[in-house]
Amino acid sequence: TGRRTEKDPSQWIVVERPELRIIDPSLFWQAQQIMRARGKAFQTQKTRQSNRHLFSTLICCKECGWSFRRMTRTYQNTYVRWVCSKRNGTGVKNCSNGISVDEDELIQKLKEEFTRILCSQKNALPLMLRRLKQELEGSEDHAKRKKELEKRMEKLQSARMKYMDLYADDLLSKEELNQKLTIWEEEMQKAKEEQTKLSFALNGKEAKIQCLQQMFPSACNLVDLKEMTNAQLKHLIQRIEVDENGEVTIYWNRFSSST
């Protein structure tokens, strides 16, 4: 029929091939635990974070919640369209959204919206920058904490060298060394995670302001969206939703509501 069908698990044929494993099972489970711990610490979501194309991970399906994927077709001319990745990858019955969004048409729609918002609000650019600068309040505290963390990590590195020297001089047994290094690794991991968060808080906001200043030299002098990067566009747009009727909803970031 040309359509995908799912087999009942009772009909699956599963063959175990342990000789094909490339890592030891115990090491695999250790890696899984580390990944789960990091995911919990950074509150990550199970979503793709690609930034390869202009609209990567920005367009989502309103029906199933999956991201749209980019499809390129060449017939006399080249057509670039975005379709629901769930429907496209797992079959029609898994998502009812068969809409394809033309990339050039979407770019044109966004340019029109940018023009409308920025030209209808005389002080739109200063307002955006002012709101972003407000987020920098408390950055001095972040910088202070970052320096404290750097000193803490230096002390931890010194402590590790001390443990290794004591072990080399037979003043620590191997078991004692492993115990101390386990505690050391936990403390170092916590410090690194906090340092990463602080770096994002400090550098991310300043980068957003700089990005907006570069993208909008004046309220009505817009850059070509095709020259914009995915990261730059994400500073302006939270997401673009597409439903099965072809209605496109743009959720602007910071300076406008959805349209």
Side-chain angles (χ1 to χ4, degrees):
T1 64
R3 294 189 176 185
R4 296 181 180 86
T5 58
E6 293 184 1
K7 279 188 174 293
D8 186 89
S10 62
Q11 297 179 331
W12 292 0
I13 299 175
V14 180
V15 180
E16 294 288 345
R17 297 293 300 275
E19 68 275 14
L20 298 180
R21 294 173 179 169
I22 60 175
I23 62 173
D24 184 82
S26 61
L27 181 60
F28 171 80
W29 288 113
Q30 288 178 27
Q32 295 301 304
Q33 291 175 354
I34 293 173
M35 290 171 64
R36 282 193 291 270
R38 290 179 179 175
K40 184 177 180 181
F42 288 96
Q43 298 180 348
T44 56
Q45 298 178 345
K46 297 297 182 179
T47 56
R48 296 180 62 194
Q49 299 298 322
S50 172
N51 60 358
R52 181 178 179 183
H53 304 292
L54 179 63
F55 294 110
S56 293
T57 68
L58 272 173
I59 308 175
C60 65
C61 176
K62 192 172 183 179
E63 310 306 323
C64 67
W66 283 42
S67 294
F68 269 41
R69 68 169 53 167
R70 192 175 192 261
M71 306 289 291
T72 303
R73 295 286 184 270
T74 301
Y75 179 74
Q76 293 183 345
N77 295 317
T78 298
Y79 301 93
V80 179
R81 293 185 172 90
W82 291 78
V83 299
C84 175
S85 57
K86 185 173 186 179
R87 179 187 174 98
N88 181 262
T90 65
V92 175
K93 71 175 185 178
N94 292 314
C95 181
S96 59
N97 193 344
I99 297 297
S100 63
V101 179
D102 184 272
E103 183 172 276
D104 287 338
E105 292 179 2
L106 183 57
I107 288 175
Q108 182 60 35
K109 179 179 176 62
L110 286 176
K111 289 179 70 174
E112 292 172 358
E113 289 296 317
F114 283 154
T115 303
R116 181 187 65 80
I117 292 172
L118 294 179
C119 292
S120 63
Q121 301 179 33
K122 183 177 181 180
N123 297 320
L125 179 60
L127 176 62
M128 284 188 286
L129 296 178
R130 186 162 59 251
R131 288 182 180 178
L132 287 173
K133 287 177 180 178
Q134 287 174 355
E135 293 187 2
L136 292 175
E137 293 180 358
S139 61
E140 292 183 0
D141 293 335
H142 289 159
K144 182 179 178 181
R145 178 56 183 161
K146 186 178 180 181
K147 290 182 179 179
E148 292 176 353
L149 279 173
E150 290 173 351
K151 291 181 179 180
R152 172 63 177 160
M153 293 171 72
E154 289 178 1
K155 289 182 179 180
L156 284 171
Q157 291 289 4
S158 298
R160 188 180 188 279
M161 294 297 297
K162 182 179 179 180
Y163 298 150
M164 299 304 295
D165 290 340
L166 290 173
Y167 175 70
D169 294 336
D170 292 330
L171 298 176
L172 278 180
S173 66
K174 189 173 182 179
E175 292 182 357
E176 290 173 331
L177 176 64
N178 289 335
Q179 290 176 356
K180 290 185 177 295
L181 289 181
T182 298
I183 297 173
W184 179 89
E185 288 175 357
E186 292 176 354
E187 293 182 357
M188 180 61 79
Q189 182 63 31
K190 290 179 181 178
K192 287 182 178 179
E193 289 173 357
E194 187 175 354
Q195 186 184 52
T196 300
K197 292 178 181 179
L198 287 172
S199 295
F200 178 80
L202 288 168
N203 301 330
K205 294 168 187 175
E206 294 173 354
K208 290 175 185 177
I209 291 177
Q210 184 178 4
C211 173
L212 284 174
Q213 289 173 329
Q214 292 173 353
M215 286 193 296
F216 298 100
S218 65
C220 298
N221 183 20
L222 296 174
V223 297
D224 185 353
L225 265 70
K226 290 185 178 181
E227 299 298 324
M228 192 180 292
T229 66
N230 176 258
Q232 289 174 325
L233 189 58
K234 284 178 179 176
H235 289 317
L236 301 174
I237 295 177
Q238 292 181 1
R239 69 185 184 280
I240 301 170
E241 282 186 352
V242 181
D243 66 16
E244 60 184 347
N245 298 317
E247 182 177 348
V248 177
T249 305
I250 303 171
Y251 292 87
W252 300 96
N253 191 19
R254 305 185 187 284
F255 68 95
S256 176
S257 58
S258 62
T259 59

